[in-house]
Amino acid sequence: MKLVLCSEGFHTQNTVEAFVELVGKPKDKIKFAVINEAYAGEAGDKHWVVRNLESVANNFPAEMDIVNLLAFPLEETEKRITDKDAIFVVGGHTDYLMSVFVKTGFDKLLPKLLETKVYVGSSAGSMVMGKRLDSEAYDLLYERIGFGIDKYLGFVDFSIMPHMDSPNFSDRKEKLSKAASKNKGKLYGLNDDSAVVVNGEKFDFIGSKPYEYN
């Protein structure tokens, strides 16, 4: 399994380079399937969604298809992703994103796809690949909205919290420190220039050193 779990998508050149190395193809030949579902669970300004999409379009000039999981049967979703090299999952509300994965069956299809595709997550798109914080820890950070989600995919054995250095989340470090004391598992807080790169059983960090808890 090859994953690039970013705080903020292709925010830096070293993230782009690490991804291209995992794919093993020329940069201008890499084709993407983009999943842009998580934003629908968030209120407010959406310029950040456009920036996430532009980070793919501006760095990778080959094909970029936006695959709406809710619009098609699972078989059609698989068909549209089959000829792509990578899956890019945009950020937003992680519990909502996970609920869409479960509702559509994409959570069951994804392991098969990742036998041949490289997965790139931005923010919630990265968080959903790890472990969800324990309920008490989660409640210190977020208000439950009622998507019925208590766990994420768990493809990596830790939790991810993005945007540690972002002025849009100025109290995140303080809140996360308190939440981490209520969480039993490993938790990494990523700055927006940071990512976790997973290649099989190995993983490493690029960009700024992560905040590490537990």
Side-chain angles (χ1 to χ4, degrees):
M1 188 175 293
K2 297 181 179 182
L3 318 171
V4 183
L5 305 179
C6 311
S7 175
E8 186 63 24
F10 292 112
H11 191 66
T12 63
Q13 188 60 34
N14 64 346
T15 305
V16 173
E17 292 170 357
F19 163 74
V20 171
E21 183 176 349
L22 280 183
V23 177
K25 290 181 68 172
K27 181 179 173 183
D28 61 351
K29 301 296 185 183
I30 298 174
K31 297 190 292 185
F32 278 84
V34 174
I35 294 173
N36 187 22
E37 307 278 0
Y39 83 91
E42 296 278 10
D45 179 67
K46 296 295 186 297
H47 277 88
W48 56 268
V49 177
V50 177
R51 288 193 293 270
N52 261 229
L53 296 173
E54 286 179 337
S55 77
V56 179
N58 292 340
N59 283 290
F60 304 97
E63 184 177 341
M64 184 183 86
D65 187 13
I66 298 178
V67 181
N68 189 318
L69 300 180
L70 294 169
F72 304 102
L74 191 61
E75 294 79 10
E76 178 64 19
T77 295
E78 182 175 6
K79 181 179 177 182
R80 289 179 62 171
I81 296 176
T82 293
D83 69 336
K84 305 301 187 294
D85 303 296
I87 301 168
F88 182 87
V89 181
V90 184
H93 196 294
T94 317
D95 278 11
Y96 176 71
L97 177 64
M98 186 66 203
S99 75
V100 172
F101 280 11
V102 172
K103 180 178 181 179
T104 61
F106 190 70
D107 60 325
K108 302 296 193 298
L109 174 61
L110 189 54
K112 177 183 176 182
L113 294 172
L114 294 183
E115 293 174 4
T116 57
K117 318 298 176 192
V118 177
Y119 180 102
V120 183
S122 178
S123 191
S126 297
M127 294 171 67
V128 76
M129 297 297 279
K131 291 188 170 182
R132 192 176 186 273
L133 294 176
D134 295 337
S135 293
E136 190 175 358
Y138 184 94
D139 291 344
L140 289 174
L141 287 166
Y142 302 107
E143 178 183 354
R144 288 179 180 264
I145 299 179
F147 294 117
I149 295 299
D150 291 305
K151 64 180 181 179
Y152 297 155
L153 293 168
F155 289 173
V156 293
D157 192 31
F158 49 82
S159 303
I160 292 173
M161 182 57 60
H163 311 309
M164 294 296 287
D165 62 350
S166 172
N168 297 319
F169 301 91
S170 58
D171 61 350
R172 175 146 292 184
K173 292 176 187 176
E174 180 181 353
K175 284 187 174 182
L176 189 60
S177 180
K178 292 178 181 177
S181 69
K182 306 294 183 181
N183 190 61
K184 295 183 179 66
K186 179 74 72 175
L187 167 62
Y188 294 107
L190 301 180
N191 292 333
D192 278 349
D193 67 344
S194 303
V196 186
V197 179
V198 179
N199 189 355
E201 297 299 317
K202 300 178 181 179
F203 77 92
D204 201 358
F205 297 95
I206 57 175
S208 299
K209 183 178 179 181
Y211 294 86
E212 184 174 344
Y213 303 90
N214 296 340

